[in-house]
Amino acid sequence: SQQGEEDPQALSIQEGENATMNCSYKTSINNLQWYRQNSGRGLVHLILIRSNEREKHSGRLRVTLDTSKKSSSLLITASRAADTASYFCATVPYNNNDMRFGAGTRLTVKP
Amino acid sequence: DTAVSQTPKYLVTQMGNDKSIKCEQNLGHDTMYWYKQDSKKFLKIMFSYNNKELIINETVPNRFSPKSPDKAHLNLHINSLELGDSAVYFCASSTRDNKNIQYFGAGTRLSVL
């Protein structure tokens, strides 16, 4: 079964606004990651958060992880048109090493 | 230089044909992967492979087979293509010690008619 599920499926905002995307998963995890996919391109790794971490920052990205709720959020602050892409969460279950991806959130940032 | 490259980018073929997708990485990684992204954008792992171990997702039909001529290449062969094989296929690579961070190719869009 699919591990991560992103919410919302699509998000459209104006440049300068913040974008928040959520990911829920079903089983215990070792870590959770967020990837970005520009149209027609492969996925690019953004950030990894381990199961014993609650929050992590990287530039304009902020990721939180709540293992009790089995959920994570990705916040992009001060969005730019170049942030337009699909964002995927990927989880690594506790009992194996296979990454499992959700269907992604399609983010559109309007200039 | 592209780190993980796949060819072709687009592949249109008839049902029943046999086709291959090539993948090469120049990152010096020792583990490579194939993923299938379906029409709903779910990305599912098909294979992971290093020079000692091939791990196959049990849901993958045996018409799909990975072939690795060397550490830098992992090609995907598909026999007797079916309509349901239409998807975007992504190759990825990582180091064996850090499978958490994978580098992806740009994908191959396969359309089976």
Side-chain angles (χ1 to χ4, degrees):
Chain A
S1 63
Q2 208 60 28
Q3 177 71 321
E5 293 187 13
E6 290 88 344
D7 167 55
Q9 289 186 337
L11 179 62
S12 181
I13 59 175
Q14 293 294 133
E15 214 169 19
E17 293 180 342
N18 296 341
T20 300
M21 290 160 272
N22 303 299
C23 170
S24 59
Y25 56 93
K26 295 176 182 175
T27 62
S28 297
I29 60 171
N30 191 321
N31 64 72
L32 183 146
Q33 304 169 50
W34 285 90
Y35 281 78
R36 183 185 72 229
Q37 183 183 29
N38 289 86
S39 180
R41 311 285 295 191
L43 280 72
V44 174
H45 182 266
L46 294 176
I47 196 165
L48 179 153
I49 186 165
R50 301 189 188 284
S51 60
N52 60 353
E53 296 176 313
R54 291 297 166 258
E55 189 170 310
K56 209 159 182 183
H57 297 255
S58 176
R60 292 183 297 112
L61 305 180
R62 174 176 162 250
V63 169
T64 62
L65 179 64
D66 186 334
T67 53
S68 66
K69 295 181 179 178
K70 292 187 169 58
S71 68
S72 173
S73 67
L74 170 67
L75 168 68
I76 304 176
T77 60
S79 64
R80 305 167 182 167
D83 295 329
T84 294
S86 291
Y87 291 82
F88 294 84
C89 72
T91 54
V92 177
Y94 201 65
N95 57 355
N96 71 55
N97 286 324
D98 285 342
M99 281 207 299
R100 300 179 184 183
F101 289 82
T105 292
R106 174 71 188 167
L107 173 66
T108 302
V109 181
K110 300 175 184 176
Chain B
D1 288 340
T2 305
V4 181
S5 59
Q6 299 176 224
T7 55
K9 190 172 176 65
Y10 300 97
L11 181 55
V12 181
T13 188
Q14 298 287 331
M15 244 182 1
N17 284 350
D18 302 337
K19 290 293 178 185
S20 295
I21 306 172
K22 295 184 178 181
C23 178
E24 175 182 4
Q25 53 92 7
N26 62 5
L27 297 167
H29 289 164
D30 48 24
T31 304
M32 296 183 72
Y33 312 82
W34 277 104
Y35 288 85
K36 178 181 180 181
Q37 186 176 41
D38 62 26
S39 57
K40 295 182 180 178
K41 302 300 182 185
F42 283 111
L43 202 67
K44 297 180 182 177
I45 189 162
M46 301 176 70
F47 306 100
S48 67
Y49 180 79
N50 60 43
N51 60 1
K52 293 184 179 178
E53 188 178 26
L54 171 66
I55 299 174
I56 303 172
N57 184 324
E58 60 187 13
T59 66
V60 175
N62 58 14
R63 297 181 295 103
F64 291 78
S65 58
K67 298 282 195 309
S68 180
D70 55 58
K71 202 170 73 165
H73 296 83
L74 184 67
N75 303 325
L76 181 64
H77 296 269
I78 316 169
N79 295 326
S80 302
L81 278 157
E82 299 178 357
L83 293 177
D85 297 333
S86 295
V88 182
Y89 292 85
F90 287 96
C91 175
S93 72
S94 73
T95 62
R96 191 185 315 175
D97 295 336
N98 192 3
K99 295 180 180 179
N100 293 319
I101 299 178
Q102 298 182 13
Y103 295 77
F104 283 76
T108 295
R109 181 173 292 278
L110 171 65
S111 298
V112 182
L113 307 178

